[in-house]
Amino acid sequence: MTTFHWGSRGTLWLGLLAGILWGIVNPVGSPMALADHGGPVVFVDVKNPPEEDEDCDAHFRTLKAALENCPLQEHGIIVVDPGVYDEGKLTVSVKGLVIQSSGGAQRTKINGCFVLEAKQVELRGFDVNAKDQQDCENGVTVANREIVVAENIVHEAAAHGIEVAEASDNVTIAQNQLFNNEGIGIRVLGESQGVQILRNRVQSNGASGIVLEGNADRFTISENEVRLNLGTGVLVLGADGGQITDNAITSNGLEGLKLDKANDNVIVNNEIAANGLFGVALVGSDNNEVRSNALVGNRAGGVALRGNAVPTQRNTVESNTITESTQSGASGVLLEGDVTGSIILKNTITQNSIGVRFTRSDVTEGEPSNNTIDSNEIRESDEDGVRIEASFGLNLLRSNQISENNGVGVHVLGGMGNDTFAENVIENNGDDGIRIQDSPRNTLEANEITGNGGGDNSGGPTDGGAVVLVRADSTVVRKNALHDGEANGLLILESKNVKVLENTVERHQQDGLKGRDLEGLLVENNVFRMNRERGIAIRGCARPDFQHNVVVQNGLGGVFLADCEGANLQMNDISDNLRFGLWAENSADIQARRNWWGDPKGPAGVYEGSGNAVILIGVQGGNSFPLEQDDIIRAVLPWLTDRVGQLQEPSVRGFLLTDFGPGKVELDAMDRADVRLSLFSVEKEERGIAILAKYEGALPAEGSIYSPAPLANAIKTVSVLINGFGSGTATLEVAYRDEELPEGVVKEGLRLFYWDGSTWVPLPGKSLQGVNLVEGEIEVALLRAGAILALAPQAP
């Protein structure tokens, strides 16, 4: 039994006791803390005489002698006193051995390196300087399982600070400082699973800070400071199922954190800032989560998802703050190449050069597809908020706040199309709200696009708008609110088969809808209101179709068409516009029937109409000239005699009568409007018109220009307008079906009533019960301004 004495060695016992207590209260996350070792204790002190290295009395002058000159028991402890030890390469081959400094790394310096070959070894509390040491490539080499390397300072290695060899499972590397190594700070080779890298400071190394290689799965990298390394801060190459949490990864030469062919990892709550390339890059990696990180001022951008030789799939980037990547072209989030199934959700992406960017790869095939960008705040970019340079389709941008970017809010520059932009708020961007160019079959739905800038009002590609479509065939623009922009509401250029449906476009400084060189345009159920110039203005179009739109209160006119062919305008409200309702020049086969022009008598320029004017301009030999009234009548007859939605659409029938001669003239609309009009003893004039229609309800509904008083048991109401006739009488016949009669109403009591503006006046006439007709007589003069007549039972 060896006897120990106080004196110069007494302090070693105190250090050992402190180390044992430290291991009890702070086991650094390892299943093997110092207190778990109960083997014999060996002491090393550089102040001991050289002969101590030979007598095997448990006291040594050098650590090499303690490891090599005398037998050591498994799970023993070597305690090293403060000092400077010139050791060279130190190999630890005894299972469970703990090598612990008594004074900590600042006072216990090893000139050399460690190779930990045995299982369950612990190395704690040394300053390991591997500079110019023979046979020392790495500062510490871990080459077995369940090893702990903690509280060391490792520097000046020719290769790496700490290297974990292949198949070295459940290693813990904790609270070390690794700097000025020529290679990697901490390197974990393949098949080493369950490695924990905790609370280390890894900085100023010649390559990357921390690297995990193939199949080093189920790792943990937590609470480390990784900074100023020349390569990547943390590089994961083919390791899966890891946790990277609560680290500060800053000012590294390449990426802050890069995963290459690494799957199912979680990256949470890290500070990743001021790195030379991207803060986080996922390359050929699947099913990773990047969540709740702060990515600030990374030179190339915040998060990059990049397809490589294999796709990058199903990654989630959620609730991160991504900001201040201001180098030209830097992206808050980049999707490059074959990236699919990713979810970019609830991130704050601000003050980057570009907020979110889709692009193709320079080295591999494939373009981003089937990705979701949802509920992000994307603002204050130097260039565009979202830029899509390449897309293979089925990407969804939904519910994002895209605002105050210097360029375009959402800028699509190409791709296969078939992307959807829905429910976004796109406001106060310096250029257009959404611009789609050379990309077909996209859908824009239920976005609010407001206060954006614009172009030069040229009507060409340099013009702008809340939504701009250039060579964007078969795009659908549906249910968007476009308002208060500095340019056009909607600008469409050189496109086919675009559908504009159910949008509200108002208060723009230029036109509500401006177009050029269009084919097959459908504009239906929109509101174009209070735009500074025209509601709709199109130059160069084939077969455009405008139905059920409200085009009102626009500053320079309602609908302007030039060089168009086959335009169809039907069931639109075109009223209260300054200058004109419809202006069409050098345009063939314009059909503008069944529209409301703001007056039952029709548009200005047709008989007694005082609604918005219809102006048709012909061009011949380079000279323009207004077309005759007959040409206008043929284009606009019939018009609506009440606002859109009041009359049954197919019931509106119009008749143009010229040289009708003396006697009776019969106008029959029984098949559609349930009404037949007969004119008697009217004076012969050059021309005359009649418009017959049936109301949707028994009486005009709210919104009608008439707003009549109630009429008990009213069955139906018809509208009759006669224009161009000075005098005479008219007979009206209104048909009904038995099932239309209210309960208790008898046929012989039915009459026609005329609304005179204040009351319902019964007309002289009779009920023809056998054929379900009611007849009434009225002066033609009462029908000149438009009239409504109701079928109802006579009051008792």
Side-chain angles (χ1 to χ4, degrees):
M1 179 175 181
T2 303
T3 302
F4 297 101
H5 301 281
W6 292 101
S8 64
R9 297 174 184 170
T11 58
L12 299 177
W13 279 104
L14 295 175
L16 174 61
L17 179 61
I20 292 173
L21 291 174
W22 188 94
I24 293 173
V25 300
N26 190 15
V28 301
S30 169
M32 297 168 28
L34 180 59
D36 295 331
H37 292 263
V41 180
V42 172
F43 298 94
V44 177
D45 189 344
V46 73
K47 295 188 291 295
N48 287 335
E51 55 267 24
E52 288 279 27
D53 285 345
E54 304 296 334
D55 59 15
C56 294
D57 66 349
H59 294 279
F60 295 88
R61 184 174 186 273
T62 65
L63 183 54
K64 181 181 283 289
L67 293 170
E68 297 179 359
N69 291 357
C70 301
L72 292 170
Q73 294 185 21
E74 292 183 353
H75 301 289
I77 301 171
I78 299 177
V79 178
V80 181
D81 257 11
V84 177
Y85 295 83
D86 294 315
E87 299 285 357
K89 181 178 181 180
L90 299 170
T91 301
V92 181
S93 56
V94 177
K95 177 181 178 180
L97 188 64
V98 174
I99 306 172
Q100 166 78 57
S101 71
S102 64
Q106 296 292 338
R107 300 175 59 199
T108 311
K109 302 183 184 296
I110 305 293
N111 292 323
C113 61
F114 287 89
V115 178
L116 311 180
E117 293 183 344
K119 183 179 179 181
Q120 298 178 349
V121 167
E122 291 190 22
L123 179 68
R124 190 186 302 273
F126 297 95
D127 181 331
V128 181
N129 185 344
K131 184 176 183 179
D132 299 327
Q133 296 295 311
Q134 188 175 2
D135 298 327
C136 287
E137 291 186 357
N138 305 314
V140 178
T141 300
V142 176
N144 212 316
R145 302 174 60 199
E146 301 176 24
I147 289 174
V148 176
V149 180
E151 303 170 40
N152 303 286
I153 300 172
V154 184
H155 56 104
E156 316 302 334
H160 314 304
I162 297 174
E163 180 176 88
V164 179
E166 293 184 354
S168 299
D169 295 345
N170 300 320
V171 170
T172 298
I173 302 170
Q175 295 179 267
N176 302 283
Q177 298 181 47
L178 301 109
F179 60 88
N180 289 351
N181 300 288
E182 293 186 19
I184 299 165
I186 299 173
R187 183 188 186 195
V188 181
L189 298 179
E191 307 295 340
S192 297
Q193 301 195 8
V195 173
Q196 297 187 75
I197 301 174
L198 311 173
R199 300 187 293 281
N200 301 281
R201 178 179 292 175
V202 186
Q203 69 178 56
S204 302
N205 295 288
S208 296
I210 299 172
V211 176
L212 282 80
E213 299 186 9
N215 298 322
D217 299 340
R218 300 189 302 280
F219 60 87
T220 299
I221 301 174
S222 184
E223 299 183 65
N224 302 280
E225 181 180 342
V226 185
R227 61 191 298 267
L228 295 170
N229 300 285
L230 292 183
T232 301
V234 177
L235 177 59
V236 181
L237 301 170
D240 301 337
Q243 305 278 327
I244 304 174
T245 63
D246 300 292
N247 302 283
I249 305 173
T250 61
S251 302
N252 298 285
L254 300 178
E255 294 90 350
L257 168 61
K258 181 178 180 180
L259 274 60
D260 193 335
K261 298 182 181 66
N263 307 320
D264 303 302
N265 299 290
V266 176
I267 302 164
V268 176
N269 203 35
N270 301 282
E271 177 192 351
I272 305 175
N275 296 287
L277 295 177
F278 285 91
V280 175
L282 308 182
V283 181
S285 299
D286 302 342
N287 300 309
N288 299 285
E289 292 185 29
V290 181
R291 181 162 38 85
S292 300
N293 302 283
L295 298 109
V296 180
N298 297 288
R299 187 173 176 83
V303 176
L305 307 178
R306 307 177 113 155
N308 202 339
V310 296
T312 292
Q313 302 180 96
R314 298 181 301 277
N315 296 287
T316 299
V317 179
E318 181 177 358
S319 299
N320 302 281
T321 299
I322 305 172
T323 187
E324 297 179 21
S325 297
T326 56
Q327 174 181 304
S328 179
S331 306
V333 176
L334 173 69
L335 291 82
E336 180 183 275
D338 194 352
V339 177
T340 184
S342 296
I343 298 174
I344 314 300
L345 177 66
K346 296 182 180 178
N347 301 282
T348 300
I349 305 171
T350 65
Q351 298 178 357
N352 302 287
S353 180
I354 301 169
V356 176
R357 182 184 178 199
F358 290 54
T359 190
R360 61 181 55 83
S361 170
D362 292 334
V363 295
T364 61
E365 295 182 356
E367 298 179 354
S369 67
N370 200 31
N371 300 287
T372 299
I373 314 297
D374 194 333
S375 302
N376 301 282
E377 183 180 351
I378 305 170
R379 57 181 176 83
E380 299 178 50
S381 304
D382 290 344
E383 300 179 53
D384 300 328
V386 177
R387 180 182 294 176
I388 299 178
E389 300 167 4
S391 166
F392 200 64
L394 300 179
N395 298 293
L396 170 62
L397 274 74
R398 179 179 58 202
S399 301
N400 300 285
Q401 175 82 33
I402 304 172
S403 61
E404 300 178 60
N405 302 285
N406 287 338
V408 179
V410 177
H411 198 173
V412 181
L413 293 168
M416 297 294 291
N418 288 310
D419 293 330
T420 299
F421 308 86
E423 301 176 27
N424 302 285
V425 176
I426 303 173
E427 61 183 351
N428 299 330
N429 296 287
D431 210 325
D432 309 312
I434 298 179
R435 175 178 282 261
I436 298 179
Q437 185 167 327
D438 297 314
S439 177
R441 298 180 300 278
N442 296 288
T443 299
L444 284 64
E445 184 163 4
N447 301 284
E448 181 176 356
I449 306 176
T450 177
N452 297 285
D456 56 10
N457 204 11
S458 66
T462 55
D463 205 347
V467 173
V468 178
L469 307 178
V470 182
R471 294 181 294 279
D473 295 350
S474 302
T475 293
V476 177
V477 183
R478 180 190 295 119
K479 295 185 178 179
N480 301 281
L482 316 179
H483 57 93
D484 297 292
E486 295 180 10
N488 302 287
L490 178 58
L491 175 65
I492 309 176
L493 306 174
E494 303 174 38
S495 300
K496 298 179 180 179
N497 302 319
V498 172
K499 295 181 179 179
V500 180
L501 311 172
E502 302 178 71
N503 303 281
T504 299
V505 185
E506 57 188 351
R507 297 190 301 275
H508 291 89
Q509 294 300 306
Q510 297 176 28
D511 297 316
L513 166 60
K514 181 185 287 184
R516 194 190 69 192
D517 299 332
L518 307 179
E519 182 178 337
L521 173 68
L522 174 62
V523 181
E524 186 173 296
N525 287 312
N526 303 280
V527 176
F528 299 96
R529 177 172 53 208
M530 293 187 289
N531 298 288
R532 185 173 183 179
E533 297 186 7
R534 296 154 297 191
I536 298 172
I538 299 177
R539 185 176 293 275
C541 56
R543 302 181 306 281
D545 197 351
F546 306 89
Q547 297 193 38
H548 296 90
N549 300 287
V550 176
V551 186
V552 297
Q553 300 175 4
N554 297 287
L556 294 183
V559 178
F560 172 85
L561 302 175
D563 305 318
C564 289
E565 180 180 356
N568 178 44
L569 295 87
Q570 186 165 224
M571 300 303 297
N572 301 286
D573 179 347
I574 306 174
S575 62
D576 296 324
N577 300 287
L578 298 180
R579 297 189 62 191
F580 59 83
L582 170 64
W583 182 301
E585 63 181 47
N586 196 34
S587 296
D589 193 22
I590 300 295
Q591 303 294 327
R593 297 167 179 164
R594 296 182 175 83
N595 298 290
W596 169 249
W597 302 99
D599 180 9
K601 293 182 288 186
V606 179
Y607 292 107
E608 300 173 16
S610 60
N612 268 189
V614 172
I615 302 170
L616 304 182
I617 303 295
V619 176
Q620 186 172 9
N623 299 314
S624 61
F625 55 92
L627 298 184
E628 299 295 332
Q629 187 183 65
D630 282 353
D631 297 308
I632 297 174
I633 292 173
R634 280 190 289 268
V636 302
L637 183 69
W639 58 80
L640 300 182
T641 55
D642 205 340
R643 291 193 175 100
V644 176
Q646 296 294 318
L647 306 174
Q648 290 186 8
E649 293 183 23
S651 75
V652 183
R653 298 291 301 273
F655 304 87
L656 175 62
L657 306 176
T658 60
D659 193 19
F660 53 85
K664 176 182 176 181
V665 177
E666 185 175 277
L667 308 174
D668 193 345
M670 279 290 184
D671 58 337
R672 295 188 180 183
D674 297 338
V675 61
R676 180 162 49 235
L677 172 67
S678 299
L679 303 178
F680 300 92
S681 305
V682 293
E683 295 181 2
K684 179 179 178 181
E685 295 187 5
E686 182 180 359
R687 62 178 63 84
I689 60 172
I691 299 175
L692 309 177
K694 179 171 62 176
Y695 274 84
E696 285 281 0
L699 290 174
E702 183 179 354
S704 168
I705 62 167
Y706 294 106
S707 301
L711 180 61
N713 289 321
I715 298 169
K716 66 180 62 178
T717 306
V718 296
S719 170
V720 180
L721 170 71
I722 293 177
N723 215 327
F725 304 105
S727 62
T729 61
T731 297
L732 289 164
E733 295 172 280
V734 177
Y736 61 89
R737 298 184 302 277
D738 289 340
E739 56 267 26
E740 292 179 313
L741 296 180
E743 186 176 353
V745 172
V746 296
K747 296 181 179 181
E748 58 266 25
L750 296 177
R751 294 291 184 271
L752 294 180
F753 293 82
Y754 163 71
W755 175 251
D756 69 359
S758 59
T759 188
W760 287 103
V761 178
L763 297 180
K766 57 187 175 181
S767 174
L768 305 177
Q769 304 168 41
V771 291
N772 286 7
L773 290 176
V774 178
E775 183 182 274
E777 294 184 2
I778 190 171
E779 293 295 322
V780 169
L782 296 177
L783 305 179
R784 288 177 65 94
I788 58 172
L789 297 101
L791 173 62
Q794 178 75 53

